[in-house]
Amino acid sequence: MKFLSYIIVVAFMMGIAAPNMKEDKNVSTLIPPGWQLLVRQSGAEKVEGDLNNDGIQDVAIVIEKLESAKDQAAERALLIAFGNKDGTYTRSVIADKAILKADEGGVWGDPLADLAIDRGSVVVSFYGGSNFRWYGNYRFRFQNEDWYLIGATVGSYFTGTMTEKTGDEEDYNLLTGDYVKRIVDDPNAEKPKSHTITGNMGKKNLLKLSDFVAAGSTDQFLK
């Protein structure tokens, strides 16, 4: 058992998923040593749903390091595991750059807005800023034996004159290449107006969840 734990720790430190292995239906057994399930006032960051179309409940959780560097928030990661018929889990991936830390939301505070399972995909949402707000919703799906980013919505707005529904926003379907962009014409106007453009940028290689960086720019999946 000590050797097994060693393999998990080494794999995680290398930024790759630990080998697929069965674990008891206790989420804590999926978490590498030195990490814990993230629990906030709203509850544990844990969602369940069928992610590989086998009719069995799977699980996605956010985990956080027990220790952190001085004056810095602890690192976080997204862990996804598949459920098995015999009542066990098989760990699928640990993405160690996919979740923003508690101190990366600016004045707003913790930027992790939501973790959800929707239509067979894992959706991670972030929100932060101060007078100028920003947000991002990212959709990951299991296909071709790996996890990929298949959709993204990012936006920003000034709270003094705009709302999330009237500010700049870009929505991308990365499976088809389709996009919709809402662009504010004059951000300095007292009552800013916007226009919408649609198009298709062509299909690009999908970004793997294991390579996704929550703090990174849209270039990582658009270039």
Side-chain angles (χ1 to χ4, degrees):
M1 189 64 185
K2 290 183 178 180
F3 179 69
L4 184 60
S5 297
Y6 173 77
I7 293 176
I8 295 173
V9 174
V10 171
F12 187 78
M13 291 178 65
M14 292 175 64
I16 61 176
N20 288 345
M21 59 190 69
K22 290 186 176 182
E23 297 282 3
D24 184 62
K25 276 274 188 177
N26 182 340
V27 170
S28 63
T29 65
L30 296 168
I31 302 173
W35 293 71
Q36 64 183 349
L37 174 65
L38 176 62
V39 179
R40 303 190 293 175
Q41 289 185 346
S42 57
E45 292 300 327
K46 171 179 173 286
V47 291
E48 294 181 307
D50 187 3
L51 295 170
N52 55 354
N53 297 314
D54 64 356
I56 302 173
Q57 291 289 92
D58 308 309
V59 65
I61 63 176
V62 174
I63 58 176
E64 189 173 62
K65 265 192 173 181
L66 293 173
E67 297 183 359
S68 61
K70 185 178 180 180
D71 298 325
Q72 293 186 16
E75 294 180 16
R76 292 173 171 176
L78 176 62
L79 187 156
I80 304 173
F82 293 128
N84 302 304
K85 291 181 179 180
D86 61 359
T88 61
Y89 281 121
T90 297
R91 186 184 294 105
S92 179
V93 65
I94 300 177
D96 60 353
K97 298 292 188 297
I99 304 295
L100 292 175
K101 298 187 298 182
D103 60 357
E104 293 182 314
V107 176
W108 178 260
D110 193 336
L112 179 58
D114 193 33
L115 172 67
I117 290 179
D118 175 62
R119 292 174 290 164
S121 300
V122 175
V123 182
V124 182
S125 300
F126 303 112
Y127 185 93
S130 54
N131 289 333
F132 285 92
R133 302 285 174 82
W134 52 264
Y135 58 92
N137 305 312
Y138 302 94
R139 180 178 294 271
F140 302 94
R141 189 171 75 183
F142 186 75
Q143 59 184 48
N144 301 323
E145 300 304 313
D146 210 335
W147 287 92
Y148 294 91
L149 177 67
I150 64 167
T153 302
V154 297
S156 61
Y157 63 96
F158 174 57
T159 58
T161 56
M162 291 174 272
T163 68
E164 189 170 330
K165 294 184 178 180
T166 60
D168 290 322
E169 182 177 274
E170 302 175 8
D171 181 72
Y172 298 96
N173 182 329
L174 300 173
L175 292 173
T176 65
D178 292 333
Y179 63 82
V180 179
K181 296 182 180 181
R182 184 177 63 225
I183 302 172
V184 175
D185 298 321
D186 182 5
N188 297 316
E190 185 175 347
K191 294 183 178 180
K193 295 182 179 180
S194 63
H195 66 279
T196 300
I197 60 173
T198 62
N200 186 287
M201 59 186 178
K203 293 183 179 181
K204 302 180 182 296
N205 292 328
L206 296 177
L207 179 69
K208 290 185 177 182
L209 170 56
S210 56
D211 295 326
F212 174 74
V213 180
S217 70
T218 57
D219 288 346
Q220 63 183 311
F221 56 84
L222 294 181
K223 64 180 181 180

